[in-house]
Amino acid sequence: MQKNALNILLADDDEDDRLFFKDAFEEIKIQTNVEFVHDGMQLMDHLMNSDNKLPDILFLDLNMPKKTGKECLIEIKKTEHLKNIIIAIYSTSSSEEDIEDTFIQGANIYIKKPSDFNTLKKIINEVVTVNWHYHTSGLNRDNFLLRLK
């Protein structure tokens, strides 16, 4: 494990999406330790295990088996030692209802999964370089949904 590296956790049941994500992190110029969980139950077990380091940023898919991303988001925000984790919703859904629900439930940013690799790298770079203390102090619906210019 690298010192001063960002700890990134991706909760996603799709193996292709996990590989795409892993490859993108390997190509950006930021030191990271990237870990993966495959479903909501595994995510919550990972976060509740005191032997595991909490992620600096959690990328959370909404549509997962056993426990959905929304269920995990609610549980994380209600758990004292987890509630300050930066949560980036990372989903194929562009449903206004999903965006609104996750905003209200306390996620930090909503990212629609891109279909091409270069866009994914740009998104990841944007998310990991945000000053989250500043960003979350002025969080509103307009800056919640990540749109690359």
Side-chain angles (χ1 to χ4, degrees), residues 4 7 9 78 84 104-105 116 135 140 143-144 149:
N4 300 322
N7 289 306
L9 180 61
K78 287 182 178 176
N84 293 321
I104 290 167
Q105 293 161 352
D116 73 276
H135 184 79
N140 63 52
N143 63 7
F144 179 63
K149 292 151 183 81

Side-chain angles (χ1 to χ4, degrees), residues 3-138:
K3 284 190 184 262
N4 300 322
L6 278 174
N7 289 306
I8 306 296
L9 180 61
L10 172 64
D12 196 323
D13 61 313
D14 186 299
E15 184 175 355
D16 289 336
D17 285 348
R18 289 191 307 268
L19 289 172
F20 198 46
F21 192 86
K22 179 180 181 283
D23 290 345
F25 262 101
E26 287 174 356
E27 288 198 17
I28 64 171
K29 304 293 184 225
I30 298 167
Q31 287 190 331
T32 57
N33 296 311
V34 181
E35 293 185 89
F36 302 96
V37 292
H38 307 104
D39 62 55
M41 294 294 286
Q42 190 180 30
L43 169 63
M44 295 314 299
D45 289 346
H46 179 88
L47 293 174
M48 298 304 262
N49 183 341
S50 60
D51 291 339
N52 294 327
K53 187 166 177 25
L54 291 178
D56 295 304
I57 303 172
L58 167 61
F59 287 82
L60 180 60
D61 184 21
L62 292 180
N63 302 309
M64 293 186 294
K66 300 183 184 176
K67 187 178 276 197
T68 69
K70 283 185 188 179
E71 291 170 325
C72 292
L73 174 60
I74 291 166
E75 190 172 338
I76 289 166
K77 291 302 178 179
K78 287 182 178 176
T79 305
E80 188 61 34
H81 75 282
L82 303 177
K83 69 181 183 182
N84 293 321
I85 293 173
I86 302 300
I87 299 177
I89 302 300
Y90 183 67
S91 180
T92 55
S93 171
S94 55
S95 150
E96 282 299 316
E97 182 181 345
D98 286 341
I99 295 167
E100 187 70 24
D101 286 351
T102 55
F103 174 73
I104 290 167
Q105 293 161 352
N108 298 88
I109 196 162
Y110 194 102
I111 302 161
K112 183 167 181 336
K113 288 182 182 179
S115 56
D116 73 276
F117 190 68
N118 286 329
T119 303
L120 177 60
K121 286 193 314 187
K122 286 178 189 172
I123 286 170
I124 286 173
N125 194 59
E126 178 90 11
V127 171
V128 299
T129 58
V130 164
N131 178 339
W132 285 104
H133 295 292
Y134 169 77
H135 184 79
T136 55
S137 68

